[in-house]
Amino acid sequence: AASGQPKRPPSGYFLYLTENREAFEKKAGSKSPPVISKLSGKAWKAMSDAQKKPFEDKAAKAKAEFQKAMEEWNNNGGGGGDDKDEDEDEEEDGEEGQ
């Protein structure tokens, strides 16, 4: 990612996983990511929409903030500043091959 680029927000599931990771580690008796992911994924799928809602609402709010930050970042030359030289080189390479 380019310098200063806003970080993508986590999904509702990842917010849930972060909040409940310790409980899953205790239940599994392991800190192994695949083991924790399997347990948490199973628990997430078993949850009702009402139980998921607080996590999904936080994720939606974070996504809206991220989109606004990305728009500002792009408007301030975020996407083109650092990568501009690389793009120009690629165009020159492409023209030579034609």
Side-chain angles (χ1 to χ4, degrees), residues 7 9 12-13 15-16 23-24 32 37 49 51 67-68 73 79 81-84 94:
K7 188 177 175 189
Y13 166 72
L15 291 171
Y16 167 74
F24 287 117
S32 170
S37 295
D49 288 344
Q51 290 171 310
Q67 288 173 333
K68 183 178 177 185
W73 184 73
D82 294 329
D83 296 341
K84 190 172 184 180

Side-chain angles (χ1 to χ4, degrees), residues 1 4-10 62 65-67 69-70:
Q5 181 176 0
K7 188 177 175 189
R8 235 178 114 201
E65 290 171 3
F66 167 75
Q67 288 173 333
M70 276 301 291

Side-chain angles (χ1 to χ4, degrees), residues 44-88:
W44 178 257
K45 286 179 185 177
M47 289 170 64
S48 70
D49 288 344
Q51 290 171 310
K52 292 179 183 179
K53 189 170 178 11
F55 300 103
E56 291 176 342
D57 288 348
K58 285 181 195 175
K61 184 179 178 187
K63 184 177 180 180
E65 290 171 3
F66 167 75
Q67 288 173 333
K68 183 178 177 185
M70 276 301 291
E71 193 174 308
E72 287 178 24
W73 184 73
N74 284 326
N75 289 341
N76 291 327
D82 294 329
D83 296 341
K84 190 172 184 180
D85 293 335
E86 291 177 23
D87 291 342
E88 287 175 1

Side-chain angles (χ1 to χ4, degrees), residues 28-50:
S30 170
K31 290 189 177 196
S32 170
V35 174
I36 302 304
S37 295
K38 190 170 186 175
L39 272 177
S40 61
K42 203 174 197 180
W44 178 257
K45 286 179 185 177
M47 289 170 64
S48 70
D49 288 344

